[in-house]
Each structure stands twice: as C-alpha cells, then as structure tokens.
Amino acid sequence: MAEVAYALQDLNDAIGRGTAESRAKALWHATDVLVEGEFGEEQIRIFGEVIARLADEIEETARAELSRRLAHSSNAPVKVVQMLAFDDSIDVAGPVLQFSPRLDAKALIANIRCKGQPHLLAISRRPSVPVEVTDELVTRGNQEVVQSVAANAGACFSDFAFRQMIKRSETDAVLAERVGMRKEIPPQMFRVLIAKASGEVRRKLERERPDLTKVIQASVGQAAGKLYSKFGPGQESYLALKQSVVEAHKAGRLTEKSIANYAIAHKFEEAVIALSLLSSLPVDVVEQMLLVNNRDLILVLSKALEFSWETAMGLLFLGAENHRMASRELDDLRCEFKRADIRMSRGILEVYQSHWRAGQGDVRDEGRSDGKSEAKSEAKSEAKSDTKSDGKTEALH
C-alpha cells in the first residue's frame, strides 16, 4: 500500500508541476505498479481517476503506449480504458478495443455506433465477441469488418447476424466461405448460403467440410426441380394449374390477397406461379426462393410488390421447414421488413432477376426434354406481357 500511495502522490505532483517529462515518468511508474500488482476495484478506480487526468494532457504517441500497456490487464481502470477506446486515433483505441477485458458489450456497441471502420475492425478481432456485438458489426461494418468477425472463432452469432452475413456474401466469395465454415450455422441457413454461393465456394466448402458434402449437393440439386418432381413427367396437371392462375391474373383477380390465401393454404405451386407473374421473375427463381426459404429475398420481393407484413409472413411460413418458425426469428424479420425501403427493394430485385435469368434459368430448362421447360418459358413470357402496369412490377424491368 505504501507503494500505491507513493505512485499516486507522484502522479498528483506531476500534474501539479506540469512538465511533460515528469508527467510521463509518473504515468509509466503508476501504470507498471497497477498492471503488476493485486488491487481491489476501489483502488483501481482511484488509480484511474489520476491516470485519466494525465492521459487527457499527454500526446497521442504516449496515449497509444498507455493503451498497449493496459490492453491485456484485468487491473486496467474502466474509466481510462473507455477513454482510450473512444479516442479518434486507432493507434490509441485499437489495443484496448481488441484485447481489453474491461470493456463490456454496452461500451463496445456504443463504440461501434459512433466510431469509424478501423475501430470496428479492432472489435471484430477480440478473443470473444458476444452476440449483441456481432449483430452491430455485421450491420454497420464494411466488408473487411464482416469478413474478420466471420473468421473469428471466438465470435458468437444470432440468426439475424447469419442472415445479414449470407445476404452480404452474395457478392463476396471470401465471406461466403468463412460463413460456411462456421460449424454453428443453422442447417437451414447453410442451405440458403449454398443456394446463393458460386460453384467455386461450394467446391471449397466440400473440401473443407466433408461432413456436409451430401448437404451441399442436396441443396444444389433440390432447388432444380420440386415442381418437376411433384408433377411428374405428365404435363396436364401442371398446365391446368398454371392456366388457372394465369387466367386469374389476366382477369385482374390475382392480387396480394390471392398470394396470402395460397400461402395460408400451403398451396406451394400456386404461390410460385402467382409470384412469378406478379414479379416478372422466372418460375424456377421463385420456386428456389421458397424451397430454400430464402428469407431475405422473400422480404425483398414482398416489399417491392408493396405487400403487407401479414402476406410476407405467410410466405415466410410457406417456405419454412414444417411451416414453423421461432417467435424470436419472426420478430427480427418483422423489424427488418418494416425498416426496408420499397425503392431499394425493387433495385435489389432487379439484380436478382438479372443474375438468375442469366446464370441459372436457361441451364435448368435446357435439360428438361418432357415439355416442362416450354411451359416454364411460356410462364415467363406471359409474366412479361401480362403484368399489370400499376408501377409495382414496372420498376423491376
């Protein structure tokens, strides 16, 4: 205790004398005593009060050195650590943001919400990152930040975070691979990731995760033909059903209420054809969306067509395994749907539309010699020519 009193007296004297040399000397002495000793929280707090006064006056390089010395210490004063963490300089903030055990989730979230990407990157590399912090990182971080936290073995993710990362991985093969390597990713979301991933990413994941090779292959193959396998080689049942939905569309009876009713009644095929007509998307694209329960695209499509949350929810349940979802997931999706912008959703839908038409639709149809591809091509053509010009679908072209 005598050494503690001496160190604190040194600090107060240094502040009083005000010379840079005396302040630095006293600061490093007190910091070393604090880091190496055993103290109670009240003693640490007293150290922190004095060190904080000095840290406000020292230069950036000295603050960066202080941050490095305190970063790994469980004795670091919380007040000082938070002051360093919120410093605009990443050289100062980085060490404590990445390593300090004295920063709780609340402080980290506040930092993410008001600081720049270098600060977020440091947080993404922490030995452990709790769920509430990863939610913020995958929402506010740039691609480098999201890639970093996805590769962090000590990070924990909510279903919301996985959905955000899967969404962002569509144009980022590195992120797709890192998300796919996470062993705790829910199986249903893994299937969505695979459905959206490039062939190269799928092959890498097959090599790195041989335990999931069958799941990967099944997810790719499944998306190619639920309607085909359900209707079988004969065309009459499919064409009759399609004709019924198309006629309703031509007569102006195919509305949001129709979609909601199909979803509630679990009429998968009718819902697929109807959504294809209303959105001008190919039938196989809408089919895949519901097959793999692509929640992001379901929400985008629903928002772009100006559906209500109740209709969007019906489609989510239609695509869900056993038509069930956890209440927490549903609450997250509802919030996401309410935040979504209609104009942006239409823009995103245009990208999906262009990508899938060029990359998947034609290949699948060419391999079907039983007339099914012709029927699907007809549906695409009718969707283009017959779609109502109320401004909803025109924005998709």
Side-chain angles (χ1 to χ4, degrees), residues 257-368:
K257 185 176 180 180
S258 306
I259 301 295
N261 289 337
Y262 290 147
I264 292 171
H266 296 167
K267 293 185 176 181
F268 183 90
E269 295 79 16
E270 289 90 336
V272 167
I273 296 169
L275 283 172
S276 171
L277 291 169
L278 290 180
S279 67
S280 296
L281 281 172
V283 170
D284 58 341
V285 170
V286 179
E287 176 189 359
Q288 181 184 16
M289 174 188 75
L290 293 175
L291 264 175
V292 300
N293 195 21
N294 186 336
R295 296 174 178 181
D296 293 326
L297 185 53
I298 290 172
L299 294 182
V300 165
L301 181 58
S302 298
K303 181 64 74 166
L305 294 177
E306 300 185 37
F307 288 169
S308 66
W309 163 245
E310 286 71 24
T311 302
M313 181 172 61
L315 292 172
L316 289 167
F317 276 111
L318 180 62
E321 189 172 356
N322 298 322
H323 308 298
R324 294 180 179 181
M325 281 190 296
S327 58
R328 180 182 173 186
E329 292 180 66
L330 199 60
D331 288 341
D332 288 343
L333 289 165
R334 180 174 54 192
C335 293
E336 191 172 337
F337 181 77
K338 289 183 177 180
R339 288 197 303 264
D341 177 76
I342 293 176
R343 186 164 50 185
M344 184 176 295
S345 296
R346 288 176 176 168
I348 293 172
L349 196 55
E350 287 180 355
V351 175
Y352 278 117
Q353 190 177 41
S354 174
H355 170 73
W356 267 319
R357 277 180 174 170
Q360 295 185 14
D362 295 341
V363 174
R364 288 179 183 165
D365 289 343
E366 286 174 3
R368 298 179 181 175

Side-chain angles (χ1 to χ4, degrees), residues 66-88:
L66 179 62
S67 180
R68 286 190 291 272
R69 293 193 185 196
L70 293 178
H72 298 275
S73 176
S74 57
N75 279 353
V78 173
K79 179 178 179 179
V80 176
V81 169
Q82 290 191 354
M83 179 181 66
L84 296 170
F86 283 83
D87 196 292
D88 289 337

